[in-house]
Amino acid sequence: MRRPWLVTSLIVASMVCATPAVAQSDAQTVTSAGGVVAADQPTASRIGARVLADGGNAADAGVATLLALGVVNPFSSGLGGGGFCLYRPASTGEVTVLDFRETAPSAATADMYVVDGEVKEEWMVRGGKAVGVPGEAGGLWALSYKFGNQPWETLVDPAHELASDGYTVHQLLVDRLKKGAKKLKKRPKLAAAFQEADGSWVDTGDTLQRPGLARTLKRLRDDGPAPFYEGQIADAIVAAVNEAGGIFSRDDLASYSIEVREPVQGTYRGKTVFSMPPSSSGGTAIIETLNILEGYDMSRFGRSPLGVHLTVEALKHSFADRAGWLGDTDFVDVPLQRLTSERYAAELRSKIKRDTVLPPKAYGSKAPLPDDHGTTHVSIIDRHENMLSCTSTINLSFGSMVFVPKWGLIMNDEMGDFTAQPGVPNNYGLVGTEQNVVAPGKRPLSSMSPTLVLNEDESPFMAVGASGGPAIITGTLMAMLNTIDFDHSPSRAIEAPRIHHQWLPYTLFLEDSMGMRDALEEKGHDIEVRPAWSNVQMVVESKQSDGTFTGVSDPRKMGAPAAADAVSQEASQ
Ligand code: GLY
């Protein structure tokens, strides 16, 4: 039997510390040479920064931050889900991809969500049939084992303490509970984890304990991920998923494996971009879009209607290709080299018109969106310039809402990212082809786009990524364009209003403060104004190139970054 947590590669040796510069910060940014963590929840960022201050590297900090996020933002990510990480140790300069995405259970079939020709959408996103085999516990253990230098227990302890001693309920959790209240109340065991004895929801400022999750984290701390895949926790997951209508077997968990992959790679204005390969579409779409845009003088266009129009047209090509070509490369062939080549980008660029749009079928080379309140992203660059970019998810808010009470686990609804019927939009309005239909053991197509960018001299420039379903791709891309082409400060690069276009639906989504609606309508775009639903976390080389990095967390998700030297200064005061 393959044990996913037995990853047999080098452990990165710890390195001698340089004295870090004192951190400077405001609400959403922090600048330091001592290591910076940008996560979408302040307590989680601080836990990561504490690990860095204690001598841990970016991999150690990433593990501790992601485990903490699973406790404090339980609607977004956690041990019932999965994710992707890119890691670049400064010592080798090689970027490794850890893929701990969920897989379809062995009893899954291509038509499992179709009854009498109709897609049962609810089955894809709520209840047992929506759950994919989770990879988070094994993935984080592999990240620590392969690249970390701190004892595993010290990385799990902070999350365990939050769950067992309790943490202060924050506004975002209250908002998400309110928004999901109707559905949560139909799952009383899950709802009870967030309710007072009288049945009212916990409120801002309350202390919330998660005893079941604390039990799980203690097991994870003491025994590693084994109990998730072949022990007591595995049994409880199978029972809870199947009781909720699922099709899990013990062997689905026992045979789950984490994959180590090569990143997709491209260049943009002299910088090298590494991003997530399939089973995510994110890296391919970002590199294809950047390749198209590199042929335009984007810095001259700035955020003008023409600049936005060209970005949207490039995105439509990439998303059309996403729909047509992308899927899990362990199961289907994907022409990755072609899609990420400059030659192909030039071909697509030649079709783009500056004053108007094309019919939908003219994009790519094959023929209303829900809010994604699941998913979380962490970007870290430590004082040795090790780089980490991880995105983790349970998919929609509170995942499938299948709960494993004894162990406090909220199971993902990642099966919703498969294509139930080619050509029929999924819960994100995304269409797909046979490339992304369900098959046993297959990973559903993701948009998660953990990305690392290097300068021409191969020094670290940026670790970036986002949450937000397909808008992850546009949110990540816009943070890169705003920084590289438009020379925005890190905070402005993240705060600036965003667009989103995913080819189908054939609608350009604009954040209200973007303006330029009339000018874009004149070019033929069908526009809907709405808040952006991507949340970007970025750590980027500071403009003064003085060895400091600036972390910025997206105010849209109330995040805040943290610096290692700031948390250790606070601790010594
Ligand atoms: N579940 C969202 C994604 O993977 O894109």
Side-chain angles (χ1 to χ4, degrees), residues 370-456:
D371 291 324
D372 166 27
H373 291 316
T375 313
T376 195
H377 182 82
V378 180
S379 296
I380 302 177
I381 301 180
D382 69 24
R383 65 186 171 285
H384 304 300
E385 302 194 340
N386 299 304
M387 304 171 80
L388 171 132
S389 181
C390 292
T391 315
S392 167
T393 188
I394 52 173
N395 199 19
L396 300 184
S397 195
F398 295 100
S400 63
M401 296 193 175
V402 174
F403 188 56
V404 188
K406 178 173 176 194
W407 302 99
L409 294 170
I410 301 171
M411 301 308 297
N412 69 83
D413 59 340
E414 228 63 63
M415 295 293 283
D417 280 346
F418 276 117
T419 300
Q421 248 185 346
V424 176
N426 74 359
N427 60 95
Y428 292 113
L430 291 164
V431 294
T433 62
E434 296 288 340
Q435 297 284 83
N436 187 37
V437 297
V438 183
K442 192 173 176 182
R443 285 159 151 86
L445 185 61
S446 172
S447 299
M448 297 193 288
S449 313
T451 298
L452 300 175
V453 185
L454 304 182
N455 290 309
E456 252 171 290

